[in-house]
Amino acid sequence: MFDHLNQSVTALKGIGEETAEALAEMNIFTVQDLLEYFPYRYEDYSLKDLTEVKHDEKVTVEGKVHSEPSLTYYGRKKSKLMFRLFVGSHLIKVVFFNQPYLKNKLNINETITVTGKWDAHRGTITANEVHAGTNAKIKDFEPVYSLKGKITTKGMRKFIHLAFSQYGQFIEETLPVPLIHSYRLLNRYEAIKIMHFPSSPEDVKQARRRFVYEEFLLFQLKMQALRKFEREHSPGLMQKYDLPKILEFIDSLPFPLTNAQKRVVNEVLAELKSPYRMNRLLQGDVGSGKTVVAAVGLYGSVTAGYQGALMVPTEILAEQHAESLKGLLDPFNIRCELLTSSVKGKRRREILQDLADGKVDILIGTHALIQDEVTFKKLGFVITDEQHRFGVEQRRVLREKGENPDVLFMTATPIPRTLAITVFGEMDVSIIDEMPAGRKSIETYWAKPEMLERVLAFVEKELIKGHQAYVICPLIEESEKLEVQNAIDVHTTLSQYFQNRYQVGLMHGRLTSEEKETVMKAFSTNEVQVLVSTTVVEVGVNVPNATMMVIYDAERFGLSQLHQLRGRVGRGSEQSYCILLASPKSEVGQERMRIMTETNDGFVLSEKDLELRGPGDFFGKKQSGVPEFKVADMVHDYRALETARNDAAKLIQSETFWTAPEYVHLRKSLEISGVLEGEKLD
């Protein structure tokens, strides 16, 4: 069958090579690309009653010219044209900038239509469009496209019109009839037509609803299929752990497990002994006790005769994990070893040899674990901490150190549910959403920079009690563009302020690993009482004696990052404090500060952060893994995302999906995406 829509755009009468090149810059190559290049917003030209229009809103009005237009020139070639217009019972002013030729085109008592921005305080429209005559507008509702290069709005509308009139009849339905009926969705032809040629906002809403669901469904089918094949094609180890030993280990812990920890431990143990390989994401807020869950899982794997590995992003974190795991597991004759780039020479060779011989039960380290020289005798369980900091490739290499070991990813960055099921859609997700008993909530205050003296006096009160403080700054050195307190200046200021009383240390990203380690060690052992740092201190550092966190220019951080930083304190039994020094100009900035002072719940914060920042910024654009959708928006359309995920899971598991003719288009989209490659090879 000839695929009409997959032809080059040059198949359209009216599009030549030059235009095709310009369209290619916008990733439009085929007729289908053109039909699916949807507007990113719509201009509403329907006439409005001025009493209902908000200040600064865009508006289109029809009225009679009431005064002779006056034209004034200023600057070079700049002009301002002003006249009065009767709109209903209102006499308003209309201003046009740099369109002097309109002076001779406007006549008193003539009816015109004007579009522009309404200033309710001055009773003025700053206009950018005018049409003469009653009902002079072309349409009430016009699509606006994102454009590049030589392509104009008018041109784009023309090309899409060509595509629709010449090839519209070849648009095929991709969704199965039962789903279209059950959600009352528009058919594909109608929906595409309305997206480009709408007659009302209500129409667009329905068309958009259809594409939001379609995009999410296709994406989730891909995720669920990946998950299905991943499970079927990677048999697990069926680790037969020793349950009485595990229970004895849990009883030996210095504190009882919370209900959330028990639930997650059960999920992990169930997967260790299942025939499928574990592929699980464990989310737990800062201080919720993920390390203990990891320890139980690793111990379980060792009792089943396997080795375990824990990979973390920084040396200091690896050392802390190694210390706490040794403390918990030494009494049970489990040998834990630490491997980082600092472990050298004879000691390193010994560890590597013992690991290969199976004498080391658990290896903790940085990405040094994935180097070629590291060989396990029988690797059964791999845990990576703060896993979004490792690339997919690094995680894969570690996994391949064993024969299909079970894999657990841990993160203290609470990922909103919407993002978790999108970015980590092929994983199972466990959440520790409960804090261990006895943890005091960190008190958070928002202070203006001019209150710095009072803030420092408060810090000193904590230092007098023998406690320590972190002071966080956004940048290292003076930056022309940003008037932001930088770490070096703050360090100088505080060193003078606390002179002869307390030691002030400095930590930032330009230091070498060794220098960072030295500074952190000095802080851990209380040789340094105040640590001035950029955000490098964010992940996992554990200094229970630190009870004070001051964050300069706090409005420059996202909520999740502020929450991560705040989590560096409050790790001991003493009351801890976090002070946000900020004078945010924007409403979003003020909202952030308010939310931070109101809640300590990382999941609540992460949802708010997602609303304020959008998904791309949540992980940082580069390696976010956040899919780009044309129409759908994960934050605002999260209900549709949940629905599509449930539907996709049911479809992938059902027999009919793989055979029935009504699902042929969905199967085809999976084939194109490459997910089924593994299926075919077998």
Side-chain angles (χ1 to χ4, degrees):
M1 186 189 93
F2 182 65
D3 192 345
H4 294 275
L5 299 185
N6 254 334
Q7 295 182 87
S8 160
V9 286
T10 51
L12 295 168
K13 295 178 185 73
I15 292 188
E17 287 300 331
E18 203 177 320
T19 307
E21 276 175 32
L23 288 169
E25 277 182 43
M26 293 156 61
N27 287 331
I28 298 172
F29 304 99
T30 64
V31 176
Q32 177 143 348
D33 293 339
L34 194 53
L35 288 172
E36 290 179 11
Y37 195 80
F38 296 132
Y40 72 99
R41 66 182 177 86
Y42 296 86
E43 284 288 12
D44 187 354
Y45 290 113
S46 54
L47 297 177
K48 298 277 193 314
D49 180 342
L50 282 174
T51 51
E52 290 166 13
V53 179
K54 292 191 184 89
H55 175 63
D56 266 359
E57 228 175 33
K58 198 162 185 183
V59 65
T60 300
V61 295
E62 190 176 84
K64 274 189 177 172
V65 180
H66 183 69
S67 69
E68 192 74 40
S70 74
L71 179 63
T72 48
Y73 284 92
Y74 62 97
R76 277 191 62 192
K77 294 183 180 175
K78 290 183 175 174
S79 67
K80 179 181 176 181
L81 178 86
M82 200 206 72
F83 60 93
R84 293 183 182 279
L85 185 70
F86 245 127
V87 179
S89 56
H90 302 273
L91 183 60
I92 66 166
K93 271 196 268 188
V94 178
V95 176
F96 275 95
F97 286 102
N98 307 326
Q99 298 190 40
Y101 55 86
L102 289 175
K103 182 169 168 54
N104 304 323
K105 293 194 170 183
L106 296 163
N107 308 309
I108 289 185
N109 284 332
E110 180 184 17
T111 299
I112 60 169
T113 304
V114 171
T115 299
K117 198 176 187 182
W118 172 238
D119 182 331
H121 312 314
R122 293 199 170 97
T124 304
I125 288 180
T126 304
N128 50 17
E129 274 185 61
V130 60
H131 301 282
T134 313
N135 295 328
K137 299 184 291 54
I138 315 156
K139 277 180 89 176
D140 275 354
F141 212 58
E142 285 280 358
V144 182
Y145 297 91
S146 168
L147 303 170
K148 250 189 200 167
K150 297 175 183 169
I151 306 288
T152 62
T153 299
K154 199 173 171 187
M156 194 65 188
R157 287 176 187 165
K158 188 183 97 181
F159 302 145
I160 285 170
H161 204 278
L162 285 174
F164 213 86
S165 57
Q166 291 173 37
Y167 288 98
Q169 75 267 33
F170 298 111
I171 293 171
E172 291 183 311
E173 185 51 72
T174 50
L175 295 177
V177 175
L179 287 176
I180 291 178
H181 286 168
S182 84
Y183 298 126
R184 298 198 180 98
L185 298 173
L186 291 173
N187 68 48
R188 204 161 201 277
Y189 173 86
E190 276 301 311
I192 289 181
K193 189 175 177 184
I194 288 170
M195 289 295 277
H196 295 300
F197 316 111
S199 48
S200 73
E202 192 42 52
D203 273 1
V204 171
K205 205 170 157 186
Q206 288 308 319
R208 200 182 161 278
R209 211 177 123 245
R210 143 94 209 202
F211 285 113
V212 165
Y213 179 74
E214 179 183 312
E215 285 190 337
F216 281 155
L217 183 71
L218 291 175
F219 176 73
Q220 288 296 341
L221 279 171
K222 199 165 107 184
M223 285 302 207
Q224 299 298 325
L226 263 175
R227 189 172 167 176
K228 175 182 161 75
F229 302 140
E230 174 91 334
R231 288 191 79 146
E232 290 171 2
H233 293 223
S234 52
L237 299 170
M238 291 183 75
Q239 305 192 36
K240 295 185 174 63
Y241 50 75
D242 186 327
L243 188 58
K245 276 189 179 172
I246 292 176
L247 293 173
E248 189 190 339
F249 173 64
I250 291 173
D251 283 342
S252 79
L253 295 171
F255 34 76
L257 295 182
T258 63
N259 289 328
Q261 283 173 316
K262 283 179 193 161
R263 185 183 67 240
V264 176
V265 162
N266 285 332
E267 288 169 352
V268 168
L269 291 177
E271 282 198 332
L272 281 178
K273 71 171 180 199
S274 87
Y276 297 119
R277 190 166 61 72
M278 183 194 306
N279 189 22
R280 184 172 285 278
L281 174 71
L282 169 57
Q283 290 183 255
D285 214 335
V286 176
S288 60
K290 294 185 299 299
T291 314
V292 173
V293 171
V296 176
L298 288 165
Y299 181 61
S301 187
V302 173
T303 67
Y306 291 92
Q307 290 168 300
L310 171 61
M311 181 162 82
V312 297
T314 63
E315 293 212 355
I316 201 144
L317 195 52
E319 284 173 21
Q320 291 186 335
H321 271 310
E323 207 176 306
S324 52
L325 284 175
K326 278 179 181 170
L328 295 170
L329 292 163
D330 273 357
F332 293 84
N333 296 324
I334 302 296
R335 182 172 165 198
C336 302
E337 287 293 357
L338 172 71
L339 188 70
T340 63
S341 53
S342 305
V343 180
K344 295 185 170 78
K346 188 177 170 210
R347 177 89 187 105
R348 187 181 191 86
R349 287 194 298 278
E350 274 173 13
I351 291 176
L352 291 173
Q353 188 56 56
D354 287 354
L355 186 72
D357 294 342
K359 292 176 188 166
V360 172
D361 299 306
I362 294 166
L363 189 64
I364 301 117
T366 53
H367 48 265
L369 299 193
I370 56 177
Q371 288 167 354
D372 291 344
E373 55 174 355
V374 180
T375 328
F376 290 84
K377 185 177 185 191
K378 200 178 178 191
L379 181 62
F381 192 23
V382 174
I383 302 180
T384 53
D385 195 12
E386 286 311 325
Q387 66 106 21
H388 59 279
R389 297 188 169 233
F390 294 110
V392 176
E393 192 51 28
Q394 289 171 309
R395 304 201 303 254
R396 189 184 60 75
V397 176
L398 180 58
R399 208 166 66 202
E400 287 175 358
K401 293 272 179 197
E403 298 283 323
N404 286 328
D406 286 310
V407 184
L408 179 69
F409 303 106
M410 300 200 299
T411 178
T413 308
I415 300 161
R417 188 171 161 68
T418 349
L419 270 183
I421 66 174
T422 312
V423 182
F424 305 111
E426 81 288 8
M427 293 186 188
D428 296 295
V429 179
S430 290
I431 295 175
I432 302 183
D433 47 9
E434 175 186 6
M435 281 300 188
R439 287 289 288 249
K440 289 193 176 78
S441 186
I442 301 162
E443 288 181 21
T444 305
Y445 303 101
W446 169 20
K448 297 284 165 64
E450 50 269 28
M451 294 160 71
L452 182 61
E453 284 289 323
R454 284 173 59 188
V455 170
L456 292 179
F458 188 27
V459 171
E460 186 142 12
K461 265 189 184 163
E462 284 299 298
L463 298 178
I464 289 167
K465 291 180 190 167
H467 297 154
Q468 288 163 275
Y470 291 98
V471 177
I472 305 291
C473 315
L475 286 180
I476 305 172
E477 285 160 33
E478 197 56 64
S479 150
E480 311 280 305
K481 294 192 207 105
L482 298 169
E483 289 183 23
V484 174
Q485 290 291 344
N486 58 68
I488 290 165
D489 282 1
V490 171
H491 178 253
T492 309
T493 311
L494 296 188
S495 297
Q496 282 172 338
Y497 182 89
F498 291 119
Q499 208 170 9
N500 302 330
R501 303 197 302 286
Y502 299 104
Q503 285 298 315
V504 183
L506 174 64
M507 167 110 140
H508 55 69
R510 299 258 176 93
L511 299 177
T512 64
S513 296
E514 286 77 28
E515 289 169 327
K516 281 183 199 157
E517 299 285 323
T518 310
V519 177
M520 236 12 260
K521 286 252 165 61
F523 189 59
S524 305
T525 54
N526 203 355
E527 288 162 50
V528 164
Q529 287 74 46
V530 179
L531 181 63
V532 176
S533 172
T534 53
T535 53
V536 290
V537 80
E538 183 184 337
V539 177
V541 181
N542 193 17
V543 181
N545 192 43
T547 57
M548 192 81 211
M549 166 71 66
V550 179
I551 303 175
Y552 275 80
D553 298 297
E555 73 273 20
R556 297 204 38 80
F557 298 102
L559 280 173
S560 289
Q561 201 175 18
L562 286 171
H563 180 63
Q564 288 288 298
L565 289 166
R566 171 168 66 184
R568 300 297 110 232
V569 295
R571 296 182 152 239
S573 51
E574 300 291 332
Q575 178 61 56
S576 290
Y577 307 92
C578 175
I579 296 174
L580 308 166
L581 279 173
S583 51
K585 307 283 183 285
S586 70
E587 277 181 32
V588 169
Q590 289 166 10
E591 177 72 353
R592 268 191 200 142
M593 295 307 110
R594 203 182 52 70
I595 295 167
M596 279 299 293
T597 57
E598 284 174 9
T599 180
N600 270 303
D601 184 326
F603 288 98
V604 172
L605 284 168
S606 71
E607 292 289 350
K608 296 273 187 202
D609 206 16
L610 191 58
E611 283 166 31
L612 294 175
R613 292 205 293 174
D617 294 341
F618 193 88
F619 290 107
K621 281 272 190 293
K622 269 201 193 74
Q623 50 146 37
S624 64
V626 177
E628 293 286 331
F629 296 112
K630 287 182 190 169
V631 182
D633 175 321
M634 289 162 25
V635 183
H636 298 109
D637 305 318
Y638 72 92
R639 284 206 176 85
L641 176 60
E642 298 257 336
T643 307
R645 184 187 196 220
N646 296 337
D647 292 345
K650 282 183 199 143
L651 286 172
I652 292 292
Q653 292 308 327
S654 74
E655 198 55 47
T656 50
F657 175 76
W658 300 103
T659 52
E662 72 230 50
Y663 298 114
V664 68
H665 285 289
L666 294 181
R667 291 199 297 271
K668 200 166 145 194
S669 79
L670 277 182
E671 251 169 67
I672 293 166
S673 74
V675 174
L676 302 185
E677 289 303 309
E679 261 312 81
K680 287 183 179 157
L681 296 174
D682 280 10

